Amino acid sequence: MKIIILSLLALSLPMTAATARAGEVRLAIATNFHDAAERLAAHFSETTGHSTRISYGSTGKLYAQIRHGAPFDAYLAADEERPHLMEREGSGVPGTRFTYAIGKLVLWSPDAEAFREPQALLEADTLRRLAIANPKTAPYGLAAKQTLEHLGLWKTLESRLVRGESIAQTFQFVATGNAKAGFVALAQLRDDHQGGARWEVPNTHHEPIAQQAILLDRGRSNEAARAWLNFLASAEAQDIIREYGYDIPDLPE
C-alpha cells in the first residue's frame, strides 16, 4: 500500500490572519491519537488564539457520524481509506488530505512476565482472552487481524478475541486484566503504562497504519480549521507527534 501525501497548498493561510480573527474548530479525531491531540490542541490555541472542540471515537464510527451530518470541520482518522472516501464522496475538501502520522502496533500486557516470545504466548492454550479493536471500525484492529493472519493464528484465536469498539476500549480491557494481553497503539504506552511485556509488531506483518487528516466541507470557510491543518503539518507539530510514538512521513515543502 502506498502512503499518499497530497499538497497542502490549499490549506495555506497567513498566521497573522488566523490570529487576528480567532475562531473555533470542531475536530473528529481517532482515539489512538488522544494524548497527542490534547497536547497539540493546547499548543495550537496558545499560538493562534483559535479554540478547539474535539470528539474522539473509532475511525469508522466518526466516519459514520460525519456522513450523517455531525458538525465537524476536520477529521483526523487512523487510516487513509475513510478520508479518501470523504474526498471522493464530496464531504471532504479536495486537495486537503494528507498523512499526519504513521501508527505503530504493539502486543502488550501489564504483566512483565506475561511473555518473552510473542509467538509462544499467542500459540499457548492458556491464552484465554486476547484483546483487539474491532477490525471493521478501528484501523488498529484491522492491523491486529492482519498480524494474526500473517502468523497463521487468526482462525485459532478468533473465538478467544475480546473486541473493543475503539483502541481506547481495547487498551482498557488489557489494563484492567479483562484480557491477558492485547494489540494496542504504541502511543498508548506512555507514562504509567511504560512497563509490562511488549512486542512492537514489525510493519511487514500488516498494512501501514497511515493516519490521514482532511478538511471537511463544513469547515471549508473556517479559518480556524485551515489553520489547524496547517499547524498539524508543521515541523513543530511533527516533533510533538514523534514524541507520542508515531512515525512521520515526508511532507511536501
Side-chain angles (χ1 to χ4, degrees):
M1 177 187 294
K2 292 183 178 179
I3 298 172
I4 302 172
I5 311 297
L6 300 186
S7 172
L8 301 182
L9 293 178
L11 300 179
S12 297
L13 274 179
M15 189 59 71
T16 53
T19 53
R21 293 185 295 275
E24 179 183 79
V25 54
R26 295 192 62 171
L27 302 168
I29 300 181
T31 54
N32 76 88
F33 203 63
H34 177 278
D35 291 352
E38 290 294 302
R39 183 170 166 193
L40 289 166
H43 189 72
F44 172 71
S45 295
E46 289 173 3
T47 56
T48 67
H50 296 307
S51 61
T52 61
R53 292 179 63 187
I54 305 176
S55 294
Y56 297 99
S58 70
T59 290
K61 287 200 169 184
L62 290 173
Y63 170 73
Q65 290 173 14
I66 293 167
R67 289 197 66 192
H68 287 88
F72 297 116
D73 300 306
Y75 175 44
L76 276 65
D79 67 5
E80 57 186 334
E81 177 185 357
R82 271 83 166 195
H84 179 72
L85 284 173
M86 288 183 165
E87 187 176 51
R88 192 171 65 191
E89 294 165 352
S91 56
V93 178
T96 65
R97 178 171 59 92
F98 68 99
T99 301
Y100 63 92
I102 307 295
K104 298 179 183 180
L105 185 69
V106 177
L107 177 66
W108 174 68
S109 172
D111 178 5
E113 302 300 320
F115 64 89
R116 294 181 184 274
E117 295 294 332
Q119 185 98 11
L121 170 72
L122 295 172
E123 292 177 347
D125 291 337
T126 54
L127 180 63
R128 300 302 181 191
R129 291 184 179 181
L130 176 69
I132 71 168
N134 185 342
K136 294 181 179 180
T137 59
Y140 281 83
L142 178 59
K145 179 181 179 182
Q146 291 170 347
T147 295
L148 292 175
E149 289 174 336
H150 177 86
L151 297 172
L153 294 171
W154 173 254
K155 290 184 178 179
T156 301
L157 292 173
E158 190 173 6
S159 63
R160 296 185 238 168
L161 296 177
V162 181
R163 293 173 172 82
E165 285 303 308
S166 67
I167 197 66
Q169 187 178 48
T170 305
F171 180 86
Q172 287 302 314
F173 286 155
V174 183
T176 58
N178 287 306
K180 183 173 184 178
F183 287 98
V184 301
L186 177 62
Q188 294 172 299
L189 300 182
R190 291 172 52 86
D191 304 326
D192 294 339
H193 302 290
Q194 290 182 1
R198 69 169 71 180
W199 173 54
E200 291 191 27
V201 178
N203 57 20
T204 54
H205 286 27
H206 59 80
E207 294 179 354
I209 307 173
Q211 304 196 188
Q212 290 200 340
I214 191 168
L215 179 68
L216 300 175
D217 190 61
R218 181 184 183 275
R220 184 186 293 268
S221 60
N222 184 339
E223 291 185 2
R226 290 180 177 269
W228 165 262
L229 292 177
N230 276 333
F231 168 69
L232 189 64
S234 70
E236 188 174 17
Q238 290 168 29
D239 286 343
I240 293 172
I241 293 169
R242 285 190 188 93
E243 289 180 27
Y244 283 81
Y246 299 93
D247 284 335
I248 299 291
D250 293 329
L251 292 172
E253 295 183 359

